[in-house]
């Protein structure tokens, strides 16, 4: 289930506080693609990666099943016109033409799909030698204080770098690109970031109150005040394979 289908999701908050991807990681993702490449951003959300792909001159199809997330994509289309097509569909069944795309990328979405069906659909969509990729941002829990923060926010999903996605024999072995960086957020922005996590969206009002109180207590313990900036360390990575 895509949690962003649920009531109470604020797509604007997602746009404001969720980070985009490091430019060098996006550059490695599209390396070798021709200028005329056609790209699918699968599970595009509000278009964080979609925008970065469009800014590099590619034609992009943004696939997204959530009506709330689609609003951001349609706003993005106003800026980029015909180079962006927005499709309300699932990753497992897009109804797009077969063998027509140079890159299919799951941006922060591979963990939400039925993997066998989504892999089959990506294979169907890609040209021979096209690229399949999955990209992620995640908080760097190698820092003990960040690990504790993710537990408090219940946002500690860690996609292990030793466990690439399993795309089968029709694709080459996945290769890894990695970057580390820092996001600067005020305490209230960090609280807003917590409300974009699936654990918050799917939780009860009582649990949300408890989570917010625990976060406020931790920020106070760390000595952060409202006029401070919190340095949040991130890891960003991309797994990519070629279609045989």
């Amino acid at each position: 289930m895509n949690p962003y289908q649920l009531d109470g999701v604020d797509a604007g908050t997602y746009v404001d506080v969720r980070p985009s991807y490091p430019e060098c990681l996006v550059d490695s993702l599209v390396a070798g693609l021709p200028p005329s490449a056609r790209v699918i951003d699968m599970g595009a959300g509000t278009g964080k990666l979609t925008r970065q792909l469009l800014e590099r001159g590619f034609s992009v199809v943004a696939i997204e099943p959530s009506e709330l997330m689609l609003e951001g994509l349609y706003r993005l289309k106003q800026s980029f016109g015909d180079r962006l097509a927005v499709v309300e569909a699932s990753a497992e069944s897009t109804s797009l033409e077969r063998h027509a795309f140079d890159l299919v990328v799951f941006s922060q979405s591979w963990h939400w799909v039925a993997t066998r069906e989504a892999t089959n659909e990506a294979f169907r969509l890609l040209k021979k030698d096209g690229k399949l990729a999955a990209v992620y941002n995640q908080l760097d829990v190698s820092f003990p204080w960040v690990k504790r923060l993710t537990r408090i926010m219940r946002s500690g999903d860690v996609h292990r770098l030793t466990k690439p996605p399993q795309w089968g024999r029709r694709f080459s072995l996945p290769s890894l690109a990695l970057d580390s960086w820092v996001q600067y957020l005020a305490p209230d922005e960090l609280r807003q970031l917590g409300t974009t996590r699936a654990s918050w969206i799917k939780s009860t009002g009582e649990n949300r109150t408890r989570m917010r109180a625990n976060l406020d207590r931790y920020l106070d313990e760390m000595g952060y005040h409202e006029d401070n900036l919190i340095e949040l360390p991130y890891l960003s990575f991309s797994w990519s394979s070629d279609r045989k």
Side-chain angles (χ1 to χ4, degrees):
M1 181 188 68
N2 184 337
Y4 304 105
Q5 296 277 34
L6 300 177
D7 292 336
V9 178
D10 186 342
T13 299
Y14 189 98
V15 172
D16 291 341
V17 299
R18 277 290 190 104
S20 54
Y21 298 91
E23 298 297 336
C24 62
L25 191 78
V26 181
D27 287 340
S28 70
L29 175 68
V30 302
L33 293 183
S36 60
R38 299 181 69 195
V39 178
I40 295 177
D41 186 0
M42 197 76 83
T46 57
K48 295 285 186 177
L49 180 62
T50 307
R51 175 182 287 277
Q52 292 175 284
L53 294 167
L54 289 164
E55 288 173 344
R56 285 161 172 77
F58 300 112
S59 296
V60 180
V61 179
I63 305 291
E64 175 55 46
S66 168
E67 291 181 9
L68 287 167
M69 297 292 110
L70 286 166
E71 294 175 8
L73 291 170
Y74 285 123
R75 285 194 293 271
L76 196 60
K77 185 171 176 59
Q78 293 174 6
S79 300
F80 290 94
D82 292 341
R83 284 205 294 116
L84 173 59
V86 178
V87 177
E88 184 176 359
S90 70
E92 296 85 356
S93 180
T94 66
S95 299
L96 297 174
E97 62 268 40
R98 65 197 303 267
H99 306 329
F101 297 90
D102 301 275
L103 169 65
V104 172
V105 54
F106 290 80
S107 50
Q108 210 84 20
S109 60
W110 179 250
H111 58 297
W112 289 117
V113 304
T115 55
R116 177 181 295 180
E117 291 82 356
T119 302
N120 287 340
E121 180 68 350
F123 181 84
R124 188 187 72 82
L125 293 168
L126 283 167
K127 300 175 181 177
K128 190 179 188 311
D129 298 324
K131 183 188 293 187
L132 173 60
V135 298
Y136 282 101
N137 288 324
Q138 66 185 34
L139 291 170
D140 188 350
V141 295
S142 66
F143 295 89
W145 74 270
V146 178
K147 187 173 184 178
R148 185 179 171 195
L149 175 67
T150 62
R151 288 176 173 173
I152 291 170
M153 295 173 63
R154 299 183 189 175
S155 59
D157 293 341
V158 174
H159 306 280
R160 297 183 182 278
L161 302 182
T162 56
K163 291 187 176 182
Q166 301 300 306
W167 290 325
R169 296 180 179 178
R170 295 176 296 176
F171 293 91
S172 64
L173 290 176
S175 60
L176 176 65
L178 181 67
D179 193 20
S180 59
W181 54 282
V182 172
Q183 181 186 26
Y184 296 90
L185 291 178
D188 192 56
E189 290 174 320
L190 180 63
R191 295 184 187 97
Q192 293 178 54
L193 179 64
T195 69
T196 70
R197 304 295 186 179
S199 57
W200 175 277
I201 294 167
K202 294 188 292 185
S203 194
T204 64
E206 181 180 356
N207 284 337
R208 289 179 179 181
T209 299
R210 186 181 304 112
M211 290 164 66
R212 177 56 55 84
N214 289 339
L215 178 57
D216 287 345
R217 191 177 303 114
Y218 187 51
L219 291 174
D220 185 64
E221 178 185 326
M222 294 285 288
Y224 286 114
H225 304 289
E226 292 308 312
D227 57 348
N228 297 146
L229 283 179
I230 302 167
E231 299 181 9
L232 276 182
Y234 272 84
L235 289 177
S236 296
F237 59 95
S238 169
W239 289 106
S240 61
S241 295
D242 295 326
R243 179 192 181 281
K244 294 181 181 178

